[in-house]
Amino acid sequence: MKTEMIKKAGAALMSAAMAINGALYSASYVTAADAPVKVEFESAKISGDVTVEKDSFASGGSALKMTDSGTIELTVKVDQSGPYKLTFYAYGIGSDKQQNLSVNGTSQGAIGIPQGTEYTAIAVPAVMLKAGDNNIVIEKSWGWSQFDYLTAEPMDAVKVEAKQIKPCDQLATVETQSLMAYLSEVYGKHIISGQQEIYSGGPHGLETEFEYLKNTTGHYPAIRGFDYGNFCCPLYGSDDGSTDRIIDWVKNKGGIATASYHLNVPKQFANYTIGTKMDWSQTTYTAKDTDFSPSKAATEGTKENEYYLSTLKTLAKEFNKLEAQGIPVIWRPLHEAEGGGGENGSWFWWGREGSAAYKKLWIYTYNTLTNDLNCHNLIWEWNSYNFDTSKDWYPGDSYVDIIGYDKYSCTDWSTGSARYYHNDSPFASTFYGIMDKYDSAKMISLAENDCFSTPEKMQEEGAAWLYFCTWYDGGSDTTDFLSNPTFNTKEDTIAMYQSDYCITLDELPANLYQRDDVTPPDPSKTTTTTTTTTDPNVTTTTTAYKFEIQKKSVTIPDKPALAIGKEMQISITGAPNASLGGAVGFGTTADDWKNIEWKGTADKDGKLTVHVDLNEMPDNFKTCEVQVWWSNTWDAASEKAIDQPYTIDSCEFHYLMGGALEPLWGDANCDGTVDLADAILIMQALANPDKYGENGSDKHHLTETGKLQADVDTNTKGLTGDDAVLIQEYLLKKVTTLSPFEK
């Protein structure tokens, strides 16, 4: 947000106050040496259409405005080498924007800059900095942006993990479970090689990329990428042999199969008659060239749904063939939905109506293939970006097994036209940004890439991608992603495929799909219902989701002096219009355990937020447990409640503030006195909110009561650096009171 940070004159006053009143400093707070390095953007070297603008809301009184072109070059000096979190305070002018970031000559990808008029903290984690001076460059990519300052904060050792490593489909086959178990074993330790095959009828044969790799490196990739978009398209599609090639790759060669779904729709769907064949030129998968509605595609009874469901039925027959052969598939449909970022940046039709419609379509696709059409050999991979808005597009943990990122880092659009250059950055900051965004729930892959970097850079920077899958050679210098040295040199390709870090086809285990530690799915844990398809003469047996209670432990923060109540805010994503209920429980033993029950109904997008009154829970409890006891929808035909999957998104404990106690104005750290430590805590909370803000990780972080008592300056709204300055002036006896009501 736009923050009126402490002025440079205030910083000087702080230094003077510390020198005069050194005894007031509390040793329990971090020293200046522990604070993040801060650099004002107005000190940068600039070029092109970048200007210095006066801004009273900016940290140093000025900011940089980037419009049609240019670069911003900063020097950040740190004492020790290692991974750092860079935080940029900026906003997009008019809408969400993105600009290219490089550090010491290595691309870190694009940073997404949210729309606004207030400076927002944009964190880029796990950026490797060297001891001494580091060169930070922001280069124009898209849109006008304004920059205030950046901070660099050292990160502790970051753990690469995935908390959810079992398929979200409870009836996943043994082979599917075995593949997931293997992927989880190598995650963070190795990267699995992969290559996308070209489409049938392309500028060269289907085996060209694979023979190039074998001849160049001596190895085939472990993963082969396929696409079912042509096969399943009812407009012009035909059997291109994808299923047979998957069977050969997995059964005969021992490889891993992944598949995407570039499914075309009519450009003018409103005028289209279901069942009509069309020439390819009258179809598209882009967002701008069609009126096809993804929301309606997920709505029964619509023409769009009839069209889309027919493609899924065609697809399911192929997946059922593979399942009968014991073959799982890493399935990546509806990819790259967010596109260029935000709600309106999609370049594919499945994202053209924004995130809510997209999630509805993804969940419909999952439920149709898994529950209705009995495809239990799928590992569901969803594409994310690392924009501030990317999580808005996430369908939820219950519908995703792997999160993929598509990296095309060798093309620069900053000048308005494409410039191609070799960029072998491992994109470590993007990897850790995505891992953090989804709370390390899922394994993260490079589902598509141009350059796959080098094993040395990946290991040095900790870019622990699960696998890479290089896109095919498209037949020109700008699309030959595998063999053109602009993207991947022969030397780098050999180094990658021959390194111990990279797993190739010949290194996959013999028991890849039949592990001893995997047991067959237990149908007794599911319920079976029978539904009728659109054809009244055909019925399908559907294996439904079996409800399981979820529990989440919540730590209770210390009670502020002015608190008059407490509550739990629970946010859940489930089925649209589902009934959900449960309790917040507390106790020390089974005998004294108590539950405060709650219930609610999800909205049309499956979202539910409830507030549970916890005033009957004694203040001495430091933890409590959120439980979900049911999640179902009512089926009028069978007059039964049908269990529905759900995810607990967040559980937030809140104190309700009020009361008659008079605040001790200026006492930010709530220790009963007003001293310099209070001013220091305010500055720390503003400069590093993740550590010292209201929800910060440091045990001496600002509390809700402390924030209330620290807001003493009446000239500025909310907590700002001016509050810290006023406290210092009070300590130096320049003002007589800190009460905002006595001025």
Side-chain angles (χ1 to χ4, degrees), residues 189-508:
K189 304 180 184 71
H190 296 277
I191 191 167
I192 305 173
S193 58
Q195 176 62 51
Q196 181 75 18
E197 68 172 26
I198 199 167
Y199 54 93
S200 298
H204 55 254
L206 291 165
E207 302 303 320
T208 299
E209 286 83 0
F210 301 90
E211 294 309 316
Y212 169 84
L213 288 169
K214 177 65 173 178
N215 294 334
T216 302
T217 72
H219 300 279
Y220 287 112
I223 297 175
R224 179 162 177 154
F226 301 84
D227 195 294
Y228 271 105
N230 175 71
F231 193 131
C232 298
C233 184
L235 305 175
Y236 56 77
S238 60
D239 186 351
D240 58 4
S242 294
T243 300
D244 290 338
R245 290 196 303 281
I246 290 177
I247 293 172
D248 178 63
W249 182 256
V250 176
K251 295 288 286 188
N252 299 331
K253 296 184 171 65
I256 299 170
T258 182
S260 51
Y261 201 41
H262 287 80
L263 179 68
N264 278 31
V265 295
K267 290 183 177 179
Q268 297 182 349
F269 189 77
N271 300 326
Y272 173 71
T273 301
I274 296 293
T276 304
K277 296 293 183 179
M278 301 183 74
D279 183 75
W280 176 84
S281 63
Q282 296 177 286
T283 72
T284 185
Y285 53 63
T286 65
K288 62 183 179 63
D289 295 325
T290 184
D291 58 349
F292 190 87
S293 167
S295 178
K296 290 182 179 179
T299 304
E300 294 183 9
T302 65
K303 188 170 74 171
E304 286 87 349
N305 178 255
E306 184 178 357
Y307 177 90
Y308 186 62
L309 181 59
S310 72
T311 73
L312 296 183
K313 289 180 178 179
T314 301
L315 178 66
K317 291 178 181 178
E318 303 308 307
F319 285 157
N320 292 154
K321 292 177 186 176
L322 295 174
E323 184 173 338
Q325 294 273 348
I327 296 174
V329 176
I330 300 175
W331 171 230
R332 190 173 65 97
L334 309 174
H335 66 294
E336 299 178 8
E338 189 180 10
E343 289 293 309
N344 303 306
S346 182
W347 40 73
F348 291 127
W349 65 257
W350 42 87
R352 65 184 295 266
E353 292 178 339
S355 61
Y358 171 76
K359 288 185 288 188
K360 177 182 178 182
L361 181 64
W362 178 281
I363 293 172
Y364 172 81
T365 304
Y366 176 91
N367 286 333
T368 300
L369 287 176
T370 302
N371 299 331
D372 297 343
L373 301 175
N374 296 309
C375 300
H376 299 295
N377 58 332
L378 304 180
I379 293 174
W380 288 77
E381 182 170 22
W382 174 77
N383 261 127
S384 182
Y385 288 96
N386 196 28
F387 301 129
D388 185 62
T389 52
S390 295
K391 195 173 181 180
D392 295 341
W393 295 75
Y394 187 47
D397 290 346
S398 298
Y399 306 99
V400 173
D401 294 313
I402 296 173
I403 295 176
Y405 175 76
D406 291 0
K407 181 181 84 72
Y408 290 92
S409 58
C410 300
T411 307
D412 171 28
W413 291 92
S414 62
T415 61
S417 58
R419 173 179 71 91
Y420 299 92
Y421 68 110
H422 185 64
N423 177 6
D424 60 3
S425 167
F427 272 40
S429 61
T430 299
F431 173 84
Y432 286 103
I434 293 175
M435 189 175 76
D436 180 68
K437 195 179 299 294
Y438 302 100
D439 193 29
S440 301
K442 308 291 182 176
M443 295 178 282
I444 305 167
S445 75
L446 280 179
E448 292 183 23
N449 61 276
D450 51 6
C451 176
F452 43 63
S453 190
T454 68
E456 291 79 11
K457 288 187 176 182
M458 285 187 165
Q459 293 175 89
E460 287 172 1
E461 299 190 24
W465 304 102
L466 171 64
Y467 73 82
F468 66 83
C469 190
T470 310
W471 208 243
Y472 53 72
D473 280 357
S476 69
D477 287 343
T478 60
T479 59
D480 285 348
F481 296 113
L482 175 62
S483 64
N484 187 337
T486 298
F487 305 108
N488 292 293
T489 67
K490 279 192 175 183
E491 293 76 14
D492 285 350
T493 303
I494 293 170
M496 175 60 78
Y497 272 76
Q498 293 185 356
S499 72
D500 292 336
Y501 184 63
C502 178
I503 296 173
T504 53
L505 179 65
D506 53 301
E507 295 172 315
L508 292 174

Side-chain angles (χ1 to χ4, degrees), residues 541-553:
T541 299
T542 301
T543 305
Y545 164 79
K546 177 65 175 178
F547 176 82
E548 291 185 0
I549 293 176
Q550 290 186 28
K551 302 177 181 180
K552 192 165 186 176
S553 179

Side-chain angles (χ1 to χ4, degrees), residues 530-543:
T530 300
T531 59
T532 304
T533 67
T534 52
D535 183 346
N537 298 314
V538 179
T539 62
T540 62
T541 299
T542 301
T543 305

Side-chain angles (χ1 to χ4, degrees), residues 552-558 566 568 584-589 592-594 596 614 617-626 653 655:
K552 192 165 186 176
S553 179
V554 179
T555 300
I556 301 173
D558 293 338
K566 51 197 173 188
M568 182 71 71
V584 177
F586 56 92
T588 56
T589 68
D592 67 4
W593 188 268
K594 293 184 178 180
I596 301 174
L614 299 182
M617 183 174 67
D619 291 338
N620 61 307
F621 283 97
K622 298 303 180 184
T623 62
C624 60
E625 185 176 79
V626 173
F653 189 96
Y655 281 107

Side-chain angles (χ1 to χ4, degrees), residues 72-115:
I72 300 170
E73 186 173 352
L74 289 165
T75 298
V76 174
K77 186 174 183 178
V78 297
D79 294 333
Q80 296 180 331
S81 62
Y84 282 75
K85 181 174 76 172
L86 301 183
T87 303
F88 298 82
Y89 291 82
Y91 61 82
I93 301 173
S95 63
D96 293 343
K97 304 297 188 292
Q98 66 180 46
Q99 311 299 350
N100 294 326
L101 171 67
S102 64
V103 177
N104 294 327
T106 299
S107 171
Q108 305 296 320
I111 54 174
I113 304 173
Q115 171 191 356

